[in-house]
Amino acid sequence: MKKHGMLNSHIAKVLADLGHTDTIVVADVGLPIPEGVTKIDLALRLGNPSFEEVVSSIAEDMEIEKVIVAAEMKTDNPEAQAYIDHTFADCPIEDVPHEQFKALTRTAKAVIRTGEAKPFANCILQSGVHFG
């Protein structure tokens, strides 16, 4: 049994398979998942697990070089925006209109669905390179 890091076998495999600039999405319960993109559904009930809990767990185990969020997060979910700004203070954060955000999810290696039920609690995490 794995002792440290990501214990969810589906997420661990996706993380292990990422190459430089590949992306994954952490999504709220409402984000549409594009046809053909792997969906890892963690949602148990509304709010559980939370967006922040899932993003924090992934960030501990993934080399992230850029984060993309919907521009609407800033006004419609300032708590999530503050969390992203704090968690990724040393990383470029790009905001794009929500429709563009949804289009970007089409090329993600996976969408990880949380139980989060607040608007625009979604982010795209772009893989960097860890040279140790």
PDB file of all heavy atoms in Angstrom, residues 29 41-49 113-115:
ATOM      1  N   VAL A  29     -19.067  20.708  -9.315  1.00  0.00           N
ATOM      2  CA  VAL A  29     -20.056  19.720  -9.758  1.00  0.00           C
ATOM      3  C   VAL A  29     -20.738  20.100 -11.071  1.00  0.00           C
ATOM      4  O   VAL A  29     -21.295  19.239 -11.749  1.00  0.00           O
ATOM      5  CB  VAL A  29     -21.142  19.448  -8.683  1.00  0.00           C
ATOM      6  CG1 VAL A  29     -20.542  18.819  -7.454  1.00  0.00           C
ATOM      7  CG2 VAL A  29     -21.904  20.711  -8.330  1.00  0.00           C
ATOM      8  N   ASP A  41     -14.367  11.074 -10.926  1.00  0.00           N
ATOM      9  CA  ASP A  41     -15.445  11.667 -10.133  1.00  0.00           C
ATOM     10  C   ASP A  41     -15.229  11.376  -8.656  1.00  0.00           C
ATOM     11  O   ASP A  41     -15.336  10.230  -8.218  1.00  0.00           O
ATOM     12  CB  ASP A  41     -16.790  11.112 -10.605  1.00  0.00           C
ATOM     13  CG  ASP A  41     -17.965  11.934 -10.116  1.00  0.00           C
ATOM     14  OD1 ASP A  41     -17.781  12.743  -9.167  1.00  0.00           O
ATOM     15  OD2 ASP A  41     -19.055  11.775 -10.661  1.00  0.00           O
ATOM     16  N   LEU A  42     -14.914  12.429  -7.903  1.00  0.00           N
ATOM     17  CA  LEU A  42     -14.713  12.303  -6.459  1.00  0.00           C
ATOM     18  C   LEU A  42     -15.927  12.774  -5.668  1.00  0.00           C
ATOM     19  O   LEU A  42     -15.964  12.621  -4.451  1.00  0.00           O
ATOM     20  CB  LEU A  42     -13.496  13.126  -6.014  1.00  0.00           C
ATOM     21  CG  LEU A  42     -12.163  12.805  -6.677  1.00  0.00           C
ATOM     22  CD1 LEU A  42     -11.077  13.730  -6.132  1.00  0.00           C
ATOM     23  CD2 LEU A  42     -11.781  11.354  -6.467  1.00  0.00           C
ATOM     24  N   ALA A  43     -16.911  13.370  -6.353  1.00  0.00           N
ATOM     25  CA  ALA A  43     -18.053  13.973  -5.667  1.00  0.00           C
ATOM     26  C   ALA A  43     -18.816  12.935  -4.847  1.00  0.00           C
ATOM     27  O   ALA A  43     -19.202  11.891  -5.357  1.00  0.00           O
ATOM     28  CB  ALA A  43     -18.986  14.626  -6.679  1.00  0.00           C
ATOM     29  N   LEU A  44     -19.005  13.238  -3.570  1.00  0.00           N
ATOM     30  CA  LEU A  44     -19.776  12.382  -2.671  1.00  0.00           C
ATOM     31  C   LEU A  44     -21.143  12.978  -2.403  1.00  0.00           C
ATOM     32  O   LEU A  44     -22.157  12.299  -2.395  1.00  0.00           O
ATOM     33  CB  LEU A  44     -19.035  12.186  -1.347  1.00  0.00           C
ATOM     34  CG  LEU A  44     -17.676  11.509  -1.454  1.00  0.00           C
ATOM     35  CD1 LEU A  44     -16.966  11.539  -0.109  1.00  0.00           C
ATOM     36  CD2 LEU A  44     -17.834  10.093  -1.956  1.00  0.00           C
ATOM     37  N   ARG A  45     -21.147  14.283  -2.152  1.00  0.00           N
ATOM     38  CA  ARG A  45     -22.372  15.055  -1.962  1.00  0.00           C
ATOM     39  C   ARG A  45     -21.973  16.520  -2.108  1.00  0.00           C
ATOM     40  O   ARG A  45     -20.775  16.831  -2.159  1.00  0.00           O
ATOM     41  CB  ARG A  45     -23.020  14.759  -0.613  1.00  0.00           C
ATOM     42  CG  ARG A  45     -22.156  15.045   0.589  1.00  0.00           C
ATOM     43  CD  ARG A  45     -22.876  14.672   1.886  1.00  0.00           C
ATOM     44  NE  ARG A  45     -21.991  14.770   2.998  1.00  0.00           N
ATOM     45  CZ  ARG A  45     -21.265  13.775   3.494  1.00  0.00           C
ATOM     46  NH1 ARG A  45     -21.346  12.581   2.981  1.00  0.00           N
ATOM     47  NH2 ARG A  45     -20.478  13.964   4.520  1.00  0.00           N
ATOM     48  N   LEU A  46     -22.955  17.404  -2.185  1.00  0.00           N
ATOM     49  CA  LEU A  46     -22.632  18.811  -2.388  1.00  0.00           C
ATOM     50  C   LEU A  46     -21.637  19.304  -1.338  1.00  0.00           C
ATOM     51  O   LEU A  46     -21.858  19.144  -0.139  1.00  0.00           O
ATOM     52  CB  LEU A  46     -23.903  19.663  -2.353  1.00  0.00           C
ATOM     53  CG  LEU A  46     -24.836  19.505  -3.556  1.00  0.00           C
ATOM     54  CD1 LEU A  46     -26.048  20.420  -3.398  1.00  0.00           C
ATOM     55  CD2 LEU A  46     -24.114  19.793  -4.860  1.00  0.00           C
ATOM     56  N   GLY A  47     -20.543  19.855  -1.827  1.00  0.00           N
ATOM     57  CA  GLY A  47     -19.516  20.400  -0.950  1.00  0.00           C
ATOM     58  C   GLY A  47     -18.443  19.421  -0.519  1.00  0.00           C
ATOM     59  O   GLY A  47     -17.470  19.823   0.114  1.00  0.00           O
ATOM     60  N   ASN A  48     -18.593  18.157  -0.856  1.00  0.00           N
ATOM     61  CA  ASN A  48     -17.654  17.154  -0.355  1.00  0.00           C
ATOM     62  C   ASN A  48     -17.231  16.205  -1.466  1.00  0.00           C
ATOM     63  O   ASN A  48     -18.091  15.549  -2.050  1.00  0.00           O
ATOM     64  CB  ASN A  48     -18.319  16.375   0.777  1.00  0.00           C
ATOM     65  CG  ASN A  48     -17.353  15.500   1.530  1.00  0.00           C
ATOM     66  OD1 ASN A  48     -16.195  15.385   1.176  1.00  0.00           O
ATOM     67  ND2 ASN A  48     -17.859  14.865   2.562  1.00  0.00           N
ATOM     68  N   PRO A  49     -15.921  16.109  -1.744  1.00  0.00           N
ATOM     69  CA  PRO A  49     -14.832  16.918  -1.205  1.00  0.00           C
ATOM     70  C   PRO A  49     -14.843  18.315  -1.819  1.00  0.00           C
ATOM     71  O   PRO A  49     -15.366  18.523  -2.902  1.00  0.00           O
ATOM     72  CB  PRO A  49     -13.572  16.158  -1.606  1.00  0.00           C
ATOM     73  CG  PRO A  49     -13.935  15.459  -2.868  1.00  0.00           C
ATOM     74  CD  PRO A  49     -15.406  15.131  -2.740  1.00  0.00           C
ATOM     75  N   ARG A 113     -13.593  15.736 -10.856  1.00  0.00           N
ATOM     76  CA  ARG A 113     -14.827  16.383 -10.396  1.00  0.00           C
ATOM     77  C   ARG A 113     -14.910  16.313  -8.877  1.00  0.00           C
ATOM     78  O   ARG A 113     -14.869  15.234  -8.284  1.00  0.00           O
ATOM     79  CB  ARG A 113     -16.033  15.695 -11.022  1.00  0.00           C
ATOM     80  CG  ARG A 113     -17.364  16.303 -10.653  1.00  0.00           C
ATOM     81  CD  ARG A 113     -18.464  15.600 -11.463  1.00  0.00           C
ATOM     82  NE  ARG A 113     -19.769  16.068 -11.091  1.00  0.00           N
ATOM     83  CZ  ARG A 113     -20.651  15.367 -10.390  1.00  0.00           C
ATOM     84  NH1 ARG A 113     -20.368  14.147  -9.990  1.00  0.00           N
ATOM     85  NH2 ARG A 113     -21.821  15.878 -10.103  1.00  0.00           N
ATOM     86  N   THR A 114     -15.022  17.475  -8.252  1.00  0.00           N
ATOM     87  CA  THR A 114     -15.177  17.558  -6.800  1.00  0.00           C
ATOM     88  C   THR A 114     -16.665  17.663  -6.467  1.00  0.00           C
ATOM     89  O   THR A 114     -17.504  17.692  -7.361  1.00  0.00           O
ATOM     90  CB  THR A 114     -14.445  18.805  -6.244  1.00  0.00           C
ATOM     91  OG1 THR A 114     -15.151  19.974  -6.659  1.00  0.00           O
ATOM     92  CG2 THR A 114     -13.001  18.861  -6.718  1.00  0.00           C
ATOM     93  N   GLY A 115     -16.973  17.794  -5.200  1.00  0.00           N
ATOM     94  CA  GLY A 115     -18.348  18.027  -4.782  1.00  0.00           C
ATOM     95  C   GLY A 115     -18.657  19.503  -4.598  1.00  0.00           C
ATOM     96  O   GLY A 115     -19.733  19.860  -4.125  1.00  0.00           O
TER      97      GLY A 115
END
